[in-house]
Amino acid sequence: MDYLQAIALGILQALTEFLPISSSAHLRIFPELLGWGDPGAAFTAVIQIGTELAVLAYMGKHIWSIISTWFRSLFNPELRSHTDARMGWFIIVGSLPIVIMGLLFQNIIEKDLRSLYVVGTMLVVMGIVLGIADRIGENRKRFDDLSWRDAILMGCAQACALIPGVSRSGATISMGRALGYERATATEYAFLLALPAVFGAGLFEMKDIAHEDNLYGWGPTIVATIVSFVLGYAVIAWLLKYLSRNTYTPFVIYRVILGVAVLVLVGVGVLSEW
């Protein structure tokens, strides 16, 4: 049963990581709804590595260009104004807020903030924020327009995703749209910005996989990670194609409905808050 549950959670992780609907919220809600219990913060963090590996596979050429150009720009001043060299610095600087906040508030994040009341509330609140940002946001900025200010602001927005229910991609995209970035650019930057944070969190949490606070050992965790990688690749391709012609409105509606449902179910005792 552990392996079957792990496969189901891997599928759930892949389907929700890149959409602005919070994968951590879904990994907290649906196991509880099915009577499996909270899989634990470490399990959640580690299987997210699978979906980030999908980003590496899908955007590998772009990512390699960023890394190589950034590294060469350290020794070649002429490359420092190149978009990819600047992007390397923006990803580094934009990753600092979530790293700092994650280390400072690790215990609170892993325990107190996993309340389903918190998750449900954040689904609703950040869903509304995403809807407003997408509506008022202009489609005038692309990667070439990214600035230090915007990189830091989107990094701070990503740090809010340490609260389950916020959504890493959703928070970053909301800030990007509010700053005037087109949907595809905001989404792709959210993917790139998540790489250091997710890999760092996953590697940091690996030591706790066998801990009693996590329901699954290494075997199921590895299976879930592999499943999330394979399916995650397909989700990335679909989402970027979808956003070339559509808005985030369906995800906003879904977030609000799910959040309200969670709050009601916890309130009437169908779901346990913890």
Side-chain angles (χ1 to χ4, degrees), residues 110 119 166:
E110 293 182 350
V119 172
V166 169

Side-chain angles (χ1 to χ4, degrees), residues 177-231:
R177 291 292 293 136
L179 292 171
Y181 288 88
E182 61 178 12
R183 294 184 182 92
T185 298
T187 302
E188 287 186 44
Y189 183 68
F191 291 171
L192 293 171
L193 189 60
L195 287 169
V198 174
F199 276 115
L203 294 172
F204 182 79
E205 293 283 1
M206 278 184 179
K207 66 182 186 305
D208 295 326
I209 284 298
H211 195 273
E212 60 183 7
D213 288 342
N214 290 280
L215 294 183
Y216 308 101
W218 273 109
T221 301
I222 292 173
V223 169
T225 303
I226 294 172
V227 170
S228 70
F229 163 71
V230 175
L231 188 56

Side-chain angles (χ1 to χ4, degrees), residues 32-33 116-117 261-273:
E32 190 70 41
L33 193 61
L116 283 182
Y117 276 123
V262 168
L263 292 174
V264 170
L265 292 174
V266 175
V268 298
V270 173
L271 290 177
S272 171
E273 177 185 357

Side-chain angles (χ1 to χ4, degrees), residues 45-68:
V46 172
I47 71 169
Q48 287 177 343
I49 291 177
T51 42
E52 295 313 304
L53 288 173
V55 174
L56 289 178
Y58 189 86
M59 303 178 67
K61 185 176 181 180
H62 187 193
I63 293 169
W64 174 248
S65 179
I66 291 172
I67 295 173
S68 62

Side-chain angles (χ1 to χ4, degrees), residues 32-46:
E32 190 70 41
L33 193 61
L34 295 170
W36 298 350
D38 185 354
F43 174 84
T44 301
V46 172

Side-chain angles (χ1 to χ4, degrees), residues 127-172:
I128 295 173
V129 169
L130 175 61
I132 294 173
D134 191 38
R135 188 174 183 82
I136 67 173
E138 301 176 16
N139 293 307
R140 58 185 174 82
K141 290 185 178 181
R142 305 191 180 206
F143 278 121
D144 290 343
D145 300 306
L146 193 61
S147 64
W148 288 101
R149 184 203 68 159
D150 293 353
I152 293 171
L153 287 174
M154 283 192 270
C156 290
Q158 178 183 241
C160 296
L162 291 168
I163 305 173
V166 169
S167 170
R168 184 182 296 102
S169 63
T172 308

Side-chain angles (χ1 to χ4, degrees), residues 69-81:
T69 305
W70 174 83
F71 184 77
R72 286 185 289 121
S73 73
L74 298 177
F75 308 98
N76 185 350
E78 294 181 359
L79 289 174
R80 291 173 188 171
S81 60

